[in-house]
Each structure stands twice: as C-alpha cells, then as structure tokens.
Amino acid sequence: MPVTTLDPGTALVVIDLQKGIVAMPVVHPVREVIANAVRLVDAFRKRARPVVLVRVGWAEDRLDVIRTRTDVPPPAGAPAPGFSDYLEELCADPRRDILVQKRQWGAFYGTDLDLQLRRRHITNLVLCGIATSIGVESTARDAWERSYHLAFAVDAMTDRVAEAHERAVGTIFPRLGEIGTTSDILTLLDRHT
C-alpha cells in the first residue's frame, strides 16, 4: 500500500548517508539510493520542512562502542578517516538541518532527536538511508514506539544483505508505517505545500 498522506508536521530523517557507510557493499546501486535521498532532502528544504541527517560515529578511544556478546562481532579497529563525514551531496548545514550523531543502530537512543522533533511539532517522519535492516529499521521501531507516523522511501534505502532488506520492507515496515517511493513522497509533498 502506498503512502497515503503526510502530516503538516513532517520531517525527513536520513540515516547514515556518510562516507564510511556508503563505501560498504550493498544490494542496490548506492548512487541511485543517494540520488533519491538527495531529491528528498532538496524537496524538504525547498518547502522549509525539517531535514534530519543522522550519522554514526564514536570517540577516538572507541570507549563508547557497544560491546556485548554476539555471534557476529562489530568490526575491529578504528574506522577509516572520514568514516563519519556526511556525504557532500547532502550539503549538511547545522544552521538549517538537524544533525544527529549516534553511537548505535537507532537514531533516538542517547541523542536529542525526539526533543528536536517534538519542539518543532513533528508528528510524521519520512525515513531513508543505509542500512535498511539496521539503522533505518532500528530508528523506525523507536519512532513508532514514540507514536510518530512513518513513511518509508524504499528506493532511497538499501542494505548489505538482500534478504534483510526484503524482510524489513516486506514484513516490518508495513507494521510500522506506510511504504512508498521517492516520487510518491514528492507527490504528496506537492499536495500538502
């Protein structure tokens, strides 16, 4: 089912479109994902709607990295220089955008994202980014638990594992919100501007 509406208080949340993440192998053409995300960013800015740019990064000593027992350990060693830098195409600007640095998968825990959104009377989030089943899904679950309406721009997201992407889009996201394409969301933005 496509995205049916966007609230007057709608923000775009872009997850982990940063140099170190987009350099990883993914299942969909990363340039197309970035191009669609940039289309959304430009459209939201043009309409003076909030754009939230989220990135993941850690302190230089990496003491803030989550270290729990898992079957698949996190990458060892320090990330490459510039790993957490936003993509230039996003034109991140703290005077205009809400910039969030997280230290785990989801964008809400340990950040002021919820506060920033509520003070702007945001009730609806459009989500996109990388990775679908990790950063996007974790953020979506947290947002849903906080009663935000959610819309997912599926052609502006991808994952490292095809099955994980398909499970999130086909099974999880329909239970949390509405799914559409970048064009669907841009059409709704035009109707509600």
Side-chain angles (χ1 to χ4, degrees):
M1 186 163 183
V3 179
T4 57
T5 191
L6 296 175
D7 296 350
T10 299
L12 174 66
V13 180
V14 182
I15 304 293
D16 298 346
L17 288 189
Q18 61 190 68
K19 291 180 181 178
I21 299 292
V22 301
M24 295 178 181
V26 292
V27 297
H28 301 96
V30 75
R31 286 285 131 208
E32 290 178 25
V33 169
I34 294 167
N36 285 327
V38 168
R39 287 175 58 208
L40 289 166
V41 166
D42 290 345
F44 272 72
R45 286 181 183 147
K46 179 180 174 186
R47 291 160 180 82
R49 294 197 182 211
V51 172
V52 180
L53 301 176
V54 180
R55 62 183 172 176
V56 65
W58 306 273
E60 193 172 320
D61 62 11
R62 300 200 24 103
L63 292 175
D64 54 352
V65 173
I66 295 173
R67 298 181 199 305
T68 60
R69 287 184 298 277
T70 60
D71 288 336
V72 179
F83 175 89
S84 294
D85 292 350
Y86 291 111
L87 297 180
E88 285 85 8
E89 296 97 313
L90 296 175
C91 303
D93 184 343
R95 297 167 296 180
R96 170 189 62 212
D97 305 319
I98 301 168
L99 304 181
V100 174
Q101 179 154 341
K102 61 188 177 84
R103 289 167 172 75
Q104 64 286 321
W105 292 356
F108 282 93
Y109 179 78
T111 74
D112 70 346
L113 178 56
D114 191 48
L115 174 73
Q116 294 286 350
L117 295 171
R118 294 202 186 276
R119 290 204 175 158
R120 290 169 173 82
H121 307 287
I122 299 302
T123 57
N124 195 172
L125 305 179
V126 173
L127 290 164
C128 66
I130 301 174
T132 309
S133 68
I134 297 177
V136 177
E137 184 177 323
S138 293
T139 300
R141 286 173 181 257
D142 286 350
W144 180 82
E145 289 174 353
R146 289 166 171 81
S147 296
Y148 289 100
H149 298 289
L150 301 176
F152 299 93
V154 293
D155 58 349
M157 63 178 71
T158 190
D159 204 292
R160 296 185 70 181
V161 178
E163 294 82 8
H165 173 84
E166 293 305 321
R167 181 175 181 280
V169 170
T171 303
I172 304 301
F173 293 171
R175 299 184 72 164
L176 303 176
E178 298 179 315
I179 300 167
T181 64
T182 297
S183 294
D184 295 336
I185 291 163
L186 294 177
T187 298
L188 287 172
L189 273 178
D190 285 339
R191 282 191 209 149
H192 297 93
T193 302

